[in-house]
Amino acid sequence: MTITGSDATADAPEEDVAIRLRDTSVYFGMDRGRSMVLNGVDADIRRGEVLGVIGESGSGKSMFASALLDAVPEPGVTTGEVTYYPEEGEPVPVTDLSKAELRSLRWEEISMVFQGAMSSFNPVVTIRTHFVETLSAHDYDVDRGLARATDLLADLYLDPERMLESYPHELSGGMKQRVLIALSLVLDPEVLVMDEPTAALDLLMQRSIISLLEEIKEKHDLTIVFITHDLPLVADLADRLAVLYAFEFAEIGPAEEVLETPAHPYTRALLNATPNLSAPLEEMRPIEGESPDPVNIPKGCSYHPRCPLADEECQQIDPGPYDAGADHDVHCHHWEQSIEDLDVAFEETVDVGTRPSAAGRASGEPVVSLSDVEVTFGSANDGWFDFGDDETVTAVDGVSFDIYENDVLVLVGESGCGKTTLGKTAVGLQKPTGGTVEYRGRDVWEGASGSSLSDDEARRALQIVHQDPGSSLNSHQRVRTILEQPLKRWHPDLDGNDRRERILGMLEYVGITPPGDYVDRYPHQLSGGEKQRVALIRSMLINPDLILADEAVSALDVSLRVGMMDMMIDLQDSFNTSFLAVSHDLSNARYLAEKTGGRIGVMYLGELVEIGPAEQIIHDPQHPYTQALRWATPELGSETEETESPIRSIDIPDPKNPPSGCRYHTRCPEAREVCVEREPELVDVGEGASQPTACLRAQDDPDYRMSESITDDV
Amino acid sequence: MDWKLRRFGQAAFTVWAVMTLAFFLTRMMPGNPVDAFVAQVGPQLDNPQEAYEMAEIYMNINPEAPMHVAYWNYMTSMAVGDMGQSMSQNAPVAQIMAEAIPWTLFVMSWAIFIGFAVGISLGALMAYWEGTKFDTVLTGYATIITSIPFYVLALLLLITFAYRLGWFPTSGRRPEGVTAGFNLPFIFGIIHHAALPVFSMFVASGVASLTMRGNSIRVLGEDYLRVARLRGLPDRTIAVRYIARNAILPMYTGLMIAIGSMFGGAVVLEEIFTYRGMGYYMIQAVRARDYPLMMGAFTIITIAVVIALLVADLTYGKIDPRAGNEGNDAF
């Protein structure tokens, strides 16, 4: 950044700044050249604020976090100034500290919570040891420190004694994340840097941790830097928001202002690209193009290749911070034009309307029909020389649904609820231990031996697109070979030219151009979005009737998700395919299902608790669990903010030993005694369209009305 | 607890199966040892019929008894440690084994211990200085030493240090003319005799060091190591509690398997050094067609492997909390 702000030169900050960055860069030397992963960033982190830093993957946000502690992993080099201003005493130049000084700065003054809480603990020692060794390494009083740790853990709704005695592997992901937060606060730091602290967690857990953070921050007087790719997630929590694009800040300002009147074209595009529950579908647009390569950042404004407003000035001159209102800096030459024109510009291109609802299509013969499907994992006691107990987990417990021609059904639920297992069962990749899966009226497992279908027709008709495109494409084969295989197998009559034509046509159809150039590439030469599109084409090429899309967009950047989902919808239309999508994210589910007039099915601990048209599930959820998911899905600028958590306990019960009666009764705010005993059936409670729900309350069951509430004594 | 019982059950089953297999092979195989024994011994006796009785004495198998009776007698005598009578050594098999095993144990356990200790230390250093000359040279050395069969190294050592230089005895397991017992010359003599066999097993350190290097580098890249450094833990704690412990853990099973298979590995080694341990007697038995001795040695090797694996399984949970004591508690 060549043009610097007006107040950047002063030595002592006039505001109460905790950390100040000036022209801070991080780079890695690579064979291809110098890889700039943080490019001359200026920022002030104010004492007592929550600064939300938003960036897509590869925007330099983790490097920003590491630079605050001068903890960039080797061989990365940090240049520029990072200054820490303690409440009392001299400013500390973080980048010039000796090893010993750094040791006492980190964790005592500035602490950090990492992305990978799952692997942030030494697997062979107890949690207590982690606390003790941290305390003694910093010469803190161990007993007092442990007392503090106990308080912290209790504040995070954990059982301190149990946690301290546990080994890391004995805790669930959400527990580990909370323990890690407690561990990072045990030395009472001033500043807490959190790098994607909730990325690996389920919606409900994410939301619960965010609420806890607010309490913790008040209680311990913290300054928090919260780094995430998920804009809506920090929207409520943050005082100020900073948007990172291509290793620089695009925009930084008060949270409300950035969300309501974003000045940078990228921020506007990102907001439009973020799937959420309330915004009209037509306003969600993907951002064209991909983020730049750190070795080769575009000259001038790094966003200009993707920006609709870009002109010559943008290509030449790096935009300095312009003042877009009090306390609101934006790095764009045309920010005023951006505020005025950009949303309108987007609206003109709207062309997709919602299609007739699934109810209209439900009349025909179902393509795939599941009835009372059960899947059990683990080994039961098999007698001979097996003295063990039954160790079984019922991943799917008696689920029935039908999928019709050109239908979309999205299964949502927390991890471990059995949604992926159910999906795989529906496409014949997992043999059910009970119930039947029928394809066009034929039982797909009939006559099958082992774990593969004997019915070729069904095998062809039921396909899958995996979550991680990186590992579902053979890395030693070219795109051509990958795409030829299904054609050779299912269309042996095609000759080489026809195959090639077909592959090129498909690639072009999904926007991979020029296709002739791409067919000879290996998967690692493709970007994430391109890989996922190739994987999608691979299943499309054989003309399936049903595709299981297992978290097909979760691994993609936020700005690419809507684009990918649009493509799936488009392909579905052209090829007359049905989708069974699996997602942990209600916003994605809503986008996919609502746009196609499809249904959403909500799963909890192996059971389908509610299923119905997307609009109804989102806007009028009947089951308390769906309502909780709805609550947990972060919203942009929604006024009807519920602050009260609708779940009674944060952690999911052990699936090996599910609760009796209604499985949700241990967390349900409406649970009554009858819920503990009686297992509710799926009964249609929808007004208008069908919306079967497994909840006694929603069904207005007489037993429920008579029963006593159990929510107080838990 | 259930899991431990099951594991014991499996171990016992394996031992039983091996013994049963040994019995049926010995008794029923065409040209089986019992028939061979009778054919071999019979003609030399005045009364060829006595050969059958002798077979029972030597092998615990009476060829004339019905199969189930013969089997029962065989198994019960094995159970009380009676492994029959050696033909070539003219002594009970159990006695020969009892006398030979401590020597094998002595040599092999030192070989394994030194191999692993050196391997782990070198591997840790190689990982610490990953990419430096030290690492490159040692990785090369480890690769070469791993690819040399231990008996080739044994021969080279024998030729160089025993025959050419005369620093070490060429054969035997204990010094001549020294009273056996807890006295200095005797202990020194034993070590003197064991030195070359022990060092020819040094090749094991190659594998260990490469494994340790790989494991350590993997651990060095783990998130928890980065967090530990940020938490300001002392370097020594990080090296010992974080890196070494996590890197050595996966090698534990390998160590146990090495211990279990040491009797088998001793066969060639002891033959080269004429070191009168178990392996040496086994070769003698094969040469002399001394079936009882062979069978006894095989059975003991099997039992050793089974016990070592059992110990590895049962203790793994103690050193790695993730494995848990229930075996299936981990995930």
Side-chain angles (χ1 to χ4, degrees), chain A residues 192-220:
Chain A
L192 180 61
V193 181
M194 309 184 90
D195 183 7
E196 294 269 23
T198 58
L201 303 176
D202 282 313
L203 275 179
L204 279 168
M205 182 58 73
Q206 276 192 1
R207 188 57 196 255
S208 307
I209 286 182
I210 297 280
S211 331
L212 290 176
L213 269 183
E214 284 176 53
E215 289 167 27
I216 293 268
K217 182 200 165 248
E218 290 306 317
K219 188 167 170 188
H220 298 279

Side-chain angles (χ1 to χ4, degrees), chain B residues 260-275:
Chain B
S261 53
M262 69 177 160
F263 291 127
V267 172
V268 179
L269 190 75
E270 291 178 348
E271 176 63 16
I272 291 172
F273 290 101
T274 335
Y275 197 87

